[in-house]
Amino acid sequence: MLPSSPIPPAQRNAAAVTTTTQAKRDDGATRMVRPALACCKLYISEARNAGALRAIEHAAAALRPAAALVNAFADDAYNRVGYTLVSPLAGDGTGEAPPLHRAAFRVVAAALEAVDLGAHAGAHPRLGVVDHVAFHPLAGARLEDVAALTRAVAADIGENLQVSTYLYGAAHKDGRTLASIRRQLGYFTPTSPGGDQWCGAPDAPLPVAPDAGPVTPSRSKGVVVVGATAWVDNYNVPVRTADVGAARRIARAVSERGGGLASVQAMGLAHGDGAAEVACNLLDPAAVGADQVQERVRRLAAAMGIGVGEGYFTDLSQEKVVELYLQQAAQAEAASRQ
C-alpha cells in the first residue's frame, strides 16, 4: 500500500513544479504546452481489511502510467481510506473512455466487490462502500471539462455497477453542494447506540432520487456521491478529549455554517479510544488555510479547557500531486525506451 501517514503542513507545502512540456511551433521556435491534468479522489469505507485494500489498489494501478495512483491515506479509527488518481484529462488515443474515467470505475468496481457495507463500522460518516468520489482540475484543465468527465463516470457507475449515484458541484445541473446532498441523505447522523459510530447499511428509503442507478440502494453497496469542484484540502485537528460532544461544538464554531471561518466545513468525530478530532474540508484553501483553522480550533478548545494536537492533511498538495504524476510518467517513458 502507498504511504498513508498523516501529512503535516510543513512537509506538505512543496514548491510548485513546472508542468509544461516543449513543442515546436510552425516557425520552428519552441513553445511551452501545459498538459491538462485532472485528479480523482476516491473515499472507500474500509481501512482494516488488508486483502480488500490490496484488491482495490491493484485495480487503481491497472492503467499506470496513463492514470497514476499517487497517494493513499488510511485511517483505522474511521475505517476509511482515500486514494488519489491523476491522469491527463484527454483520452489516450485508444478510442475508449479517458484513462481517469476507466481507472476510477475500476476502483469503484473493486471496492464494491471487496467490501460489504452491511458489515462495516467506523467513526467517520459514510453513505456507501464508495462513499465519495471527487474530481478536481489540475494543470491546464478547466472545471467544466472535468464536470463532463464526472457525469460520464457517475452514469457508468450507476448503470453498470447498479449503485444509487448522486451528483454534486459543477457536475450537477443546479450546482448542488456535497454538504447539502449529504444532509438530505442523513450522512451526519450516527447509527450506533453510543452516537459516535456509523454501523451497517442505512435502513430508511432514499429521500432524494439518485441521478443514476437504482432508486432503492443495495444494502451491501449503499450509495455513492460523485462531484466536480475546484481543489479542496482535507485538514484534521486532534482534540485531546473523550467528549465527542465538545469536539462537535468546536467543529460547528469553526465551520462557516456555524458562523465560523468562510469556506470551511467541519465535523467533530471520535478518533480512537478517549480521543476526538475536528475534521475539516477547506473549500478555498488559498483564502482560508490550515493555519487559520488550527488557530481557531486551538482558541475554541482552550476556552473549554481542552488541548489540541498539531493538525494534518490527509492528502498531498496540488503541486506534489502533479509532481508525482510527472515523475511516474517520466519513469514509464524511460523504461519504454530501454
Side-chain angles (χ1 to χ4, degrees):
M1 190 161 132
L2 290 168
S4 59
S5 56
I7 306 163
Q11 295 181 18
R12 182 179 180 276
N13 296 328
V17 296
T18 301
T19 59
T20 54
T21 55
Q22 291 188 343
K24 292 291 187 181
R25 294 204 311 243
D26 292 339
D27 59 7
T30 298
R31 64 185 175 87
M32 304 305 289
V33 179
R34 178 181 290 272
L37 300 178
C39 167
C40 177
K41 299 182 182 182
L42 302 105
Y43 298 91
I44 311 298
S45 301
E46 181 57 69
R48 302 168 186 168
N49 184 329
L53 298 182
R54 280 194 299 271
I56 294 166
E57 287 164 17
H58 179 75
L63 296 180
R64 189 173 54 194
L69 176 62
V70 298
N71 194 57
F73 184 89
D75 191 302
D76 187 75
Y78 288 161
N79 202 7
R80 182 178 176 90
V81 62
Y83 295 108
T84 304
L85 294 166
V86 184
S87 176
L89 187 55
D92 55 6
T94 64
E96 297 185 88
L100 193 58
H101 179 144
R102 286 180 278 146
F105 181 85
R106 283 172 177 265
V107 172
V108 173
L112 293 173
E113 178 70 23
V115 180
D116 178 4
L117 186 66
H120 179 270
H124 196 288
R126 76 290 187 277
L127 293 168
V129 166
V130 183
D131 178 60
H132 177 205
V133 181
F135 288 86
H136 306 298
L138 291 174
R142 301 182 304 169
L143 180 58
E144 54 264 41
D145 295 328
V146 173
L149 173 68
T150 303
R151 287 189 290 270
V153 173
D156 203 5
I157 291 170
E159 294 168 12
N160 293 313
L161 299 179
Q162 284 298 290
V163 184
S164 305
T165 303
Y166 293 87
L167 293 169
Y168 77 89
H172 186 261
K173 59 183 177 61
D174 298 323
R176 175 174 61 194
T177 66
L178 174 61
S180 68
I181 188 60
R182 281 176 162 176
R183 282 193 294 273
Q184 287 180 295
L185 297 176
Y187 179 85
F188 299 104
T189 303
T191 58
S192 69
D196 63 358
Q197 296 279 314
W198 281 258
C199 305
D203 293 321
L206 295 173
V208 183
D211 297 288
V215 175
T216 302
S218 160
R219 289 186 58 80
S220 65
K221 300 176 182 178
V223 309
V224 59
V225 182
V226 185
T229 70
W231 185 267
V232 175
D233 273 341
N234 303 117
Y235 184 74
N236 299 346
V237 182
V239 181
R240 298 191 179 108
T241 179
D243 183 355
V244 179
R248 288 174 180 157
R249 292 191 293 274
I250 293 169
R252 182 163 184 82
V254 168
S255 69
E256 180 176 34
R257 182 175 171 82
L261 296 170
S263 69
V264 173
Q265 300 170 334
M267 297 184 292
L269 301 171
H271 198 245
D273 294 337
E277 69 178 21
V278 177
C280 303
N281 292 335
L282 312 186
L283 305 184
D284 188 359
V288 178
D291 290 346
Q292 291 154 281
V293 170
Q294 181 78 34
E295 177 59 18
R296 184 65 63 95
V297 172
R298 186 198 65 77
R299 289 196 288 108
L300 290 164
M304 299 179 182
I306 298 171
V308 303
E310 182 66 24
Y312 61 94
F313 293 93
T314 65
D315 202 356
L316 306 170
S317 66
Q318 294 184 70
E319 292 83 8
K320 192 65 176 177
V321 164
V322 172
E323 179 184 11
L324 290 174
Y325 169 76
L326 293 175
Q327 286 177 357
Q328 290 194 32
Q331 290 167 359
E333 182 177 358
S336 69
R337 293 174 177 173
Q338 293 177 353

